Amino acid sequence: MNKKIIATGDKSKTLLIPELNETYHSSNGALNEALHVFRDAGLNYFTNNKPLSVFEMGFGTGLNALVSLDYANTHAIKINYTTIENTPIDIALIDELAYTNLFTGTNLKSDYRKLHLEPWNNSVRINKNFEFEKILGKIQEYIPNDHQKFDLIFYDAFGPRVQPELWTDTIMQQMYKMLNEGGILITYCAQGQFKRNLKSAGFTVENLPGPIGKREITRGIK
Ligand SMILES: C[S@@+](CC[C@H](N)C(=O)[O-])C[C@H]1O[C@@H](n2cnc3c(N)ncnc32)[C@H](O)[C@@H]1O
């Protein structure tokens, strides 16, 4: 599907799929959403400085991965980051988004490009704090490795309006199994049916204040 670059409320860019009228991030602020939801309510939930293993549903532009890489560098925390994507984005479009201009860390530009250019289905060490693997495929067909459990799931699919099949109780049961005890699933979505699916999968559900333009976001705790 065709993708168009648009500016969002905090001046960071995102991609719009005009046919679906769906954006990759909040039109009120792409960077602001990534920081508020996935960094502040996600990574920051764990306060003990222990290594974190993160699974992201929907690698897309890699903005959440970039936020996590920057977090690992600035907090000196080891992050093992696994992400899945079924429709990779061309690197020319990624370069146009210019996300690394929004950060000040050293080497972020080349490291972020590596996230995109490294082969799929292959674990790679980006630096001493950040280990990364992206899986090419659909979340519905993903078979998690029984030995690999995650502390944190970034659930960043397109919304239930356009992809209801990605917010079901079946998928939430799978997400629950992939987490360590005490692990969390964090998402920008606060739809009622989705939250009931999280509960029926076994999660304790928390409603948290959303970023600008959104009342609430959701955290599921195992
Ligand atoms: C809301 S976008 C978020 C992207 C990303 N987190 C970012 O920061 O750019 C959702 C992403 O999920 C991907 N996606 C859609 N359906 C999928 C599926 N069934 N399995 C894996 N990824 C999927 C889309 O291609 C898109 O990149």
Side-chain angles (χ1 to χ4, degrees), residues 3 14-15 17 22-25 30 33-34 38 56-65 81 83-89 94 97 99 112 116 135-141 154-159 163 165-167 171 188:
K3 297 180 192 75
T14 192
L15 296 174
I17 303 180
E22 183 77 354
T23 49
Y24 275 60
H25 307 97
E33 178 186 54
F38 299 104
E56 178 188 30
M57 160 52 210
F59 175 60
T61 65
L63 179 58
N64 295 333
Y81 199 98
T83 181
I84 188 164
E85 173 60 59
N86 69 343
T87 316
I89 301 170
I94 294 298
L97 288 167
Y99 281 147
Y112 172 63
H116 286 278
I135 296 158
L136 185 59
K138 284 187 170 187
I139 189 72
Q140 302 95 312
E141 290 159 13
F154 290 171
Y155 207 81
D156 200 16
F158 290 129
Q163 283 197 301
E165 70 279 13
L166 299 185
W167 301 90
I171 295 205
Y188 68 88

Side-chain angles (χ1 to χ4, degrees), residues 35-43 45 184 186 208 217 219:
L35 297 177
H36 182 104
V37 179
F38 299 104
R39 184 192 65 184
D40 298 348
L43 296 166
Y45 174 84
I184 64 167
I186 185 80
L208 306 169
I217 61 172
R219 178 154 66 204

Side-chain angles (χ1 to χ4, degrees), residues 92-113:
L93 205 50
I94 294 298
D95 285 341
E96 267 189 74
L97 288 167
Y99 281 147
T100 48
N101 292 350
L102 306 168
F103 295 78
T104 53
T106 46
N107 297 332
L108 275 186
K109 192 166 187 158
S110 58
D111 286 346
Y112 172 63
R113 286 191 103 238

Side-chain angles (χ1 to χ4, degrees), residues 6-25:
I6 60 164
T8 68
D10 63 2
K11 299 205 169 64
S12 61
K13 296 173 190 167
T14 192
L15 296 174
L16 166 73
I17 303 180
E19 280 165 86
L20 302 176
N21 189 27
E22 183 77 354
T23 49
Y24 275 60
H25 307 97

Side-chain angles (χ1 to χ4, degrees), residues 41-178:
L43 296 166
N44 258 344
Y45 174 84
F46 299 90
T47 49
N48 55 12
N49 280 19
K50 286 206 182 124
L52 287 177
S53 62
V54 178
F55 180 87
E56 178 188 30
M57 160 52 210
F59 175 60
T61 65
L63 179 58
N64 295 333
L66 174 61
V67 165
S68 304
L69 171 62
D70 184 55
Y71 188 90
N73 292 344
T74 53
H75 291 75
I77 286 178
K78 295 207 182 315
I79 296 184
N80 194 315
Y81 199 98
T82 305
T83 181
I84 188 164
E85 173 60 59
N86 69 343
T87 316
I89 301 170
D90 197 86
I91 191 71
L93 205 50
I94 294 298
D95 285 341
E96 267 189 74
L97 288 167
Y99 281 147
T100 48
N101 292 350
L102 306 168
F103 295 78
T104 53
T106 46
N107 297 332
L108 275 186
K109 192 166 187 158
S110 58
D111 286 346
Y112 172 63
R113 286 191 103 238
K114 264 191 223 160
L115 303 182
H116 286 278
L117 296 173
E118 286 294 333
W120 293 86
N121 309 315
N122 181 45
S123 182
V124 55
R125 175 162 291 287
I126 300 296
N127 66 30
K128 70 177 180 358
N129 292 318
F130 203 75
E131 180 96 26
F132 177 77
E133 179 169 5
K134 56 184 182 175
I135 296 158
L136 185 59
K138 284 187 170 187
I139 189 72
Q140 302 95 312
E141 290 159 13
Y142 176 59
I143 301 170
N145 174 345
D146 267 350
H147 306 293
Q148 191 185 19
K149 298 272 189 228
F150 298 92
D151 301 307
L152 187 46
I153 294 176
F154 290 171
Y155 207 81
D156 200 16
F158 290 129
R161 178 183 64 88
V162 292
Q163 283 197 301
E165 70 279 13
L166 299 185
W167 301 90
T168 61
D169 49 0
T170 313
I171 295 205
M172 291 311 128
Q173 280 160 20
Q174 185 186 330
M175 295 300 117
Y176 190 83
K177 275 197 221 141
M178 285 164 54

